[in-house]
Amino acid sequence: MLLRPLRSWAARALRREGPGSLPSGPGSRGAQRRAWPRDKERENEKKSVICVEGNIASGKTTCLDFFSNTADIEVFPEPVSKWRNVRGHNPLGLMYHDASRWGLTLQTYVQLTMLDQHTRPQTLPVRLMERSIHSARYIFVENLYRSGKLPEVDYVVLSEWFDWIVRNIDVSVDLIVYLRTAPETCYQRLKMRCREEEKVIPLEYLDAIHHLYEEWLIKGGLFPVMAPVLVIEADHDMQKMLELLEQNRDRILTPESRKHGP
């Protein structure tokens, strides 16, 4: 019963695309290609999705801002404003104050809004996304469960939704840019930011998120890494980070320059 609304939505979407538009299989980028303009120039154009991953205050916004003025790139920041205001409710703030009560609520909505980010028609050669539906599951849902703040039944339900999405909807990624930052650095940066919800985040939370990112993208743990990983050490000031992003510009934006594996 839980999967029926999403199945109906997917069926309606496929009908809108018309006959012969079924994807070639899980992970295929065919569904997004059909959403782009049909002229030959667009059809032959190589498109890629790049996800910028990292801890809270690891420098993701700096990275997105750096590339935002580059031609032929569309930038998708994390939809934090949606998480802070759902018809007048703030599930992000509620989760930080009482994760045991509101963790499922927030992560259900995060999964929905990140799915929306992944499935929007791509109109430019490169899409640069802040995080992904994959890190929502492998990092933040996993952390809630391991810390004992998400009951197993909630964890299983979220996992079932995620697994169905990955099998049936194109949420593939071409490159992961991992901004590897020490939890202590992130904590100091958080103190200088003005997001009200983040004032209650302890160092221990950032440390747990860091270790899950390391387990996922560096060590190779329980979860699949669905794209090549470019690691950028991000324990630097703004000027140094801008220099590093410039040095890695081609590795990030040029598919031929990427190597597979972390």
Side-chain angles (χ1 to χ4, degrees), residues 50-52 59-77 124 126-130 175 177-179 230 232 238 241-254 258:
I50 302 162
C51 291
V52 180
K60 298 182 300 299
T61 300
T62 297
C63 181
L64 266 66
D65 288 346
F66 178 81
F67 289 108
S68 63
N69 294 322
T70 304
D72 296 326
I73 295 181
E74 55 186 27
V75 172
F76 281 19
L124 293 174
V126 176
R127 170 173 293 175
L128 194 64
M129 290 180 58
E130 183 178 6
L175 177 70
V177 178
Y178 174 34
L179 300 179
L230 173 61
I232 298 179
M238 177 71 74
M241 283 307 304
L242 295 177
E243 292 173 4
L244 287 173
L245 291 172
E246 182 60 42
Q247 291 170 16
N248 286 280
R249 178 185 291 272
D250 288 343
R251 296 180 68 189
I252 293 171
L253 302 182
T254 307
R258 298 171 193 158

Side-chain angles (χ1 to χ4, degrees), residues 57-245:
S58 61
K60 298 182 300 299
T61 300
T62 297
C63 181
L64 266 66
D65 288 346
F66 178 81
F67 289 108
S68 63
N69 294 322
T70 304
D72 296 326
I73 295 181
E74 55 186 27
V75 172
F76 281 19
E78 232 176 2
V80 176
S81 60
K82 292 184 178 181
W83 306 342
R84 300 169 82 177
N85 185 2
V86 186
R87 301 186 185 184
H89 300 280
N90 184 350
L92 180 64
L94 290 169
M95 192 282 298
Y96 277 135
H97 280 91
D98 188 353
S100 297
R101 170 62 183 86
W102 299 107
L104 176 65
T105 303
L106 174 67
Q107 291 305 323
T108 300
Y109 194 56
V110 167
Q111 190 158 264
L112 172 64
T113 54
M114 293 308 298
L115 177 61
D116 175 62
Q117 300 268 66
H118 279 280
T119 57
R120 290 184 190 181
Q122 186 168 341
T123 58
L124 293 174
V126 176
R127 170 173 293 175
L128 194 64
M129 290 180 58
E130 183 178 6
R131 292 211 181 102
S132 62
I133 196 171
H134 307 281
S135 55
R137 164 63 185 90
Y138 299 149
I139 303 300
F140 293 94
V141 170
E142 189 68 18
N143 180 62
L144 282 169
Y145 177 61
R146 292 190 186 187
S147 63
K149 294 180 172 60
L150 190 69
E152 185 170 0
V153 62
D154 293 354
Y155 177 74
V156 168
V157 168
L158 282 169
S159 299
E160 285 287 304
W161 272 106
F162 175 79
D163 292 345
W164 189 93
I165 289 168
V166 170
R167 288 194 305 268
N168 292 279
I169 302 175
D170 180 22
V171 289
S172 54
V173 175
D174 298 293
L175 177 70
I176 297 171
V177 178
Y178 174 34
L179 300 179
R180 194 181 195 187
T181 313
E184 294 78 11
T185 302
C186 295
Y187 187 66
Q188 292 303 317
R189 290 175 182 171
L190 271 185
K191 290 181 177 180
M192 296 184 287
R193 296 209 314 202
C194 299
R195 291 181 185 172
E196 184 66 29
E197 297 86 357
E198 294 176 346
K199 292 180 179 179
V200 299
I201 296 178
L203 177 59
E204 291 75 16
Y205 181 81
L206 298 174
D207 189 63
I209 296 299
H210 173 75
H211 280 92
L212 280 169
Y213 263 116
E214 292 288 296
E215 182 178 327
W216 177 35
L217 297 179
I218 302 297
K219 299 175 183 176
L222 297 176
F223 304 119
V225 180
M226 73 298 301
V229 179
L230 173 61
V231 180
I232 298 179
E233 300 295 341
D235 282 325
H236 305 291
D237 59 27
M238 177 71 74
Q239 184 57 42
K240 179 62 175 177
M241 283 307 304
L242 295 177
E243 292 173 4
L244 287 173
L245 291 172

